[in-house]
Amino acid sequence: MGVTFFAAFAAFAFGIICFSAIIYIISVIGMFKVFEKCGLEGWKAIIPFYNEYVFSEKVWVPKYVLYFCIACIVNLVIVSPISHSGGFIGILFSLIGFILSIFFLVVRGRFCYWIAKSFGYDVGFAIGLLFLPFVFYLILGFGDAQYRGNAFLESGSQY
């Protein structure tokens, strides 16, 4: 029984990894075209975190995406392993992880909003970028949308 369970689990894990890789490749293909529309070199879309930073120079302000990347890395590398330790420290770090996840979601949502605005779309498209980026980057990259400039800087928003 143990061997069959392990084999089934390994097959399931392999399937999830393959599915995730396919989704990432589709996202990168869409981002590649979006980067070219913005006047950026397409190869920069391939490198995780760096692509977000470079893209934020065109649609938002890079320091906000830097905060987003730092929060993501701190949550994955430091907070998540400690939160599984149990006891008071585990609960405390679970709470910190939850707060960092909310921060991550808010910053990522704002970034998606300014991406959508920079291409002439509104909140609905930003929600699509937040939850289904592999689909909506393809729409931006291969669709009729044109880059209109940094909507954040042009709007004069303070946050």
Side-chain angles (χ1 to χ4, degrees):
M1 178 176 162
V3 175
T4 20
F5 175 75
F6 179 74
F9 180 75
F12 178 74
F14 182 73
I16 293 293
I17 290 170
C18 289
F19 181 73
S20 299
I22 290 168
I23 294 297
Y24 178 73
I25 290 168
I26 291 170
S27 291
V28 167
I29 291 169
M31 284 184 77
F32 192 94
K33 293 298 287 180
V34 171
F35 273 42
E36 288 179 345
K37 282 185 174 184
C38 291
L40 297 169
E41 297 165 341
W43 66 267
K44 292 180 179 180
I46 298 170
I47 305 167
F49 295 113
Y50 178 67
N51 60 7
E52 301 287 336
Y53 183 79
V54 170
F55 197 32
S56 69
E57 292 175 339
K58 289 290 195 176
V59 297
W60 202 16
V61 178
K63 68 179 181 179
Y64 294 118
V65 174
L66 190 59
Y67 298 154
F68 152 76
C69 291
I70 290 170
C72 182
I73 291 170
V74 166
N75 197 11
L76 290 174
V77 175
I78 297 171
V79 174
S80 184
I82 295 174
S83 68
H84 290 63
S85 65
F88 176 74
I89 297 296
I91 292 170
L92 180 65
F93 273 82
S94 294
L95 181 62
I96 292 170
F98 177 73
I99 292 169
L100 283 174
S101 297
I102 296 296
F103 175 77
F104 170 81
L105 187 63
V106 169
V107 172
R108 182 68 191 170
R110 295 283 298 166
F111 185 50
C112 290
Y113 175 75
W114 290 113
I115 291 170
K117 291 302 266 182
S118 294
F119 282 90
Y121 290 104
D122 214 0
V123 176
F125 198 86
I127 292 170
L129 272 171
L130 180 63
F131 293 111
L132 294 170
F134 56 94
V135 173
F136 284 81
Y137 277 127
L138 287 173
I139 293 170
L140 279 180
F142 292 99
D144 295 333
Q146 295 298 317
Y147 176 68
R148 298 179 177 187
N150 191 329
F152 176 75
L153 296 178
E154 292 172 5
S155 72
S157 293
Q158 297 299 313
Y159 57 94

